[in-house]
Amino acid sequence: MSTGRDPGLQPERTRLAWRRTLLTVTVVTALAVRLASTGDPTGALIAGGTVLVWGALLVLCWPRGTGTGPARTGGRTLPLVTVGTVVLALLGVLLVLRGLW
């Protein structure tokens, strides 16, 4: 019996993980835009920032999620996705604080 792992499954799991990341960011962006769309300039800025971060994360994650190749970031995809996630979290905090005022 072979005790080695099947390397054919790891790329599929990785693609699925990147797709879940994209789906999560897309849902968060849609919710943030919905919450921020009250007509005031602050909400528009938060929604715009959220959409910009979503676009950047889409560009970073799409090649990995579709299996068309690694992102062209020189091995910095994960740290950049982490920064994007933190920025989305900060924009979410701004949305909550804006709702409290």
Side-chain angles (χ1 to χ4, degrees):
M1 289 187 128
S2 174
T3 59
R5 64 185 180 127
D6 183 7
L9 295 178
Q10 184 177 3
E12 182 179 358
R13 287 191 305 267
T14 301
R15 280 194 305 275
L16 290 172
W18 282 107
R19 286 180 186 173
R20 282 191 304 270
T21 301
L22 281 174
L23 178 63
T24 303
V25 170
T26 302
V27 169
V28 167
T29 301
L31 290 173
V33 168
R34 168 106 166 63
L35 288 173
S37 62
T38 59
D40 65 338
T42 305
L45 284 174
I46 293 172
T50 304
V51 170
L52 285 175
V53 171
W54 173 78
L57 289 174
L58 183 67
V59 167
L60 287 172
C61 296
W62 187 260
R64 302 261 179 137
T66 58
T68 57
R72 295 183 180 146
T73 59
R76 294 183 303 267
T77 301
L78 197 54
L80 290 173
V81 170
T82 303
V83 168
T85 303
V86 169
V87 170
L88 282 178
L90 292 175
L91 288 170
V93 168
L94 286 176
L95 274 176
V96 170
L97 291 176
R98 185 182 68 94
L100 295 176
W101 291 326

